[in-house]
Amino acid sequence: MAALLRVDTTPRDFVPAPITDDEAAAMFRAALNLFRLWDLTDDQAAILLDLPVRTYRRWKAGDLGRIDRDGKARLSNLMGIHKALRLIFREPQRGYAWIKAPNAAFASRSALDVMLAGELTDLMRVRRYLDAERGSW
């Protein structure tokens, strides 16, 4: 008869892997497409990314600079918002339109209005709302 081996079942703290520069660059490219679909101005996009408009336009033109930790977190939240909208709405256009529609959950403001307050926590607020609506995994 084989002996049983002891398995360590001690819970470990979750430590997420940092977003790499290559992943951040890919998220930035995806965000450009998302901003186009959301019909955002360069000024609005720059606010969401917390970049000066000139820097955003230079990056948009292909001269991407270093994306810091805050920028990576912003991009991650934007990708999470996009994913949640794609899961909630069968028709992508409805999700793109939802961003600018008044919403009772945000005191009749749109999700875009909330995010344009400019803080990372404003993006997180919209993402948490959508994750709750769709039911987190």
Side-chain angles (χ1 to χ4, degrees), residues 34 37-38 79-96 130 134:
L34 189 59
L37 293 166
W38 287 353
M79 295 302 104
I81 289 165
H82 174 61
K83 176 183 175 182
L85 289 171
R86 292 300 302 263
L87 292 170
I88 291 169
F89 296 105
R90 289 180 187 254
E91 303 85 20
Q93 287 306 112
R94 289 185 59 206
Y96 305 144
L130 289 169
R134 72 171 175 87

Side-chain angles (χ1 to χ4, degrees), residues 20-98:
T20 67
D21 291 340
D22 287 343
E23 291 169 333
M27 285 193 296
F28 180 79
R29 290 188 302 273
L32 291 178
N33 287 326
L34 189 59
F35 296 159
R36 179 181 51 79
L37 293 166
W38 287 353
D39 195 30
L40 300 189
T41 66
D42 285 354
D43 287 335
Q44 291 171 321
I47 290 169
L48 295 183
L49 296 174
D50 195 29
L51 292 173
V53 177
R54 287 181 54 179
T55 301
Y56 171 74
R57 288 182 177 144
R58 188 175 66 247
W59 287 16
K60 181 178 167 183
D63 186 16
L64 187 60
R66 185 182 161 281
I67 301 173
D68 64 15
R69 186 174 171 188
D70 179 77
K72 290 174 181 178
R74 287 171 178 275
L75 288 165
S76 177
N77 276 278
L78 288 164
M79 295 302 104
I81 289 165
H82 174 61
K83 176 183 175 182
L85 289 171
R86 292 300 302 263
L87 292 170
I88 291 169
F89 296 105
R90 289 180 187 254
E91 303 85 20
Q93 287 306 112
R94 289 185 59 206
Y96 305 144
W98 180 89

